[in-house]
Amino acid sequence: MKKIASLFLFLIMISCVGNAQDTSKEKKTYKIEKTNIEWKKILSPLEYHILRESGTERAFTSELNNNHKKGTYVCAACNTPLYKSEHKYDSGSGWPSFDRAIEKNVELDVDYKIGYARTELKCNTCGGHLGHSFDDGPRDTTGKRHCINGAALKFVAEK
């Protein structure tokens, strides 16, 4: 009986070995790289927490959530254009939401911070964390919802 229990325990243990996040891959380099001290000098505490520590702002706290002006949303850390106002929509989530990014300016990555895989969105110039992508966006366009922290963005109005 002990042998069967030991064999059963061994099988359970080896079945738990999965394809965890690959930590052996090289760290990506970005066009703009700064030390944490340099980022802290140019970003507010909330911007730093979101962009550099992958934090999340509270829902419905960003003034950009209800911004309906025409223009471009840029990275709050490096001013890279990320989203156009015509792709913004009200998802009801409490965060600025877009159905697509400006091509090649937003990087898709995977994070496991809450125990399962999610598509993380990062600035492709400085690596700043923006938010996450979900497949519950408008079906008549891309079907995607880029749920973005407003503090990760600055808005540049169209002239």
Side-chain angles (χ1 to χ4, degrees), residues 104-117:
K104 298 183 181 174
N105 289 359
V106 174
E107 171 189 357
L108 284 84
D109 200 358
V110 178
D111 83 42
Y112 296 88
K113 291 178 186 90
I114 60 172
Y116 60 90

Side-chain angles (χ1 to χ4, degrees), residues 46-157:
L46 180 60
E47 289 169 339
Y48 182 84
H49 175 64
I50 291 166
L51 287 158
R52 309 317 310 168
E53 298 176 322
S54 301
T56 303
E57 67 191 2
R58 286 190 355 253
F60 301 102
T61 58
S62 172
E63 62 187 39
L64 294 180
N65 193 40
N66 292 315
N67 181 29
H68 302 288
K69 299 173 187 168
K70 289 186 179 186
T72 304
Y73 295 84
V74 302
C75 177
C78 70
N79 295 314
T80 296
L82 302 172
Y83 295 97
K84 293 184 181 267
S85 60
E86 62 257 29
H87 300 132
K88 185 174 185 282
Y89 70 98
D90 183 6
S91 67
S93 67
W95 290 278
S97 297
F98 303 86
D99 69 354
R100 71 196 83 169
I102 294 174
E103 198 170 325
K104 298 183 181 174
N105 289 359
V106 174
E107 171 189 357
L108 284 84
D109 200 358
V110 178
D111 83 42
Y112 296 88
K113 291 178 186 90
I114 60 172
Y116 60 90
R118 293 186 299 171
T119 302
E120 180 181 14
L121 301 167
K122 295 179 179 179
C123 173
N124 205 25
T125 302
C126 71
H129 170 80
L130 304 170
H132 292 89
S133 178
F134 302 97
D135 292 326
D136 59 2
R139 296 286 169 223
D140 58 335
T141 61
T142 64
K144 298 291 184 188
R145 172 172 55 102
H146 287 206
C147 186
I148 307 298
N149 289 286
L153 303 172
K154 291 180 190 170
F155 180 72
V156 179

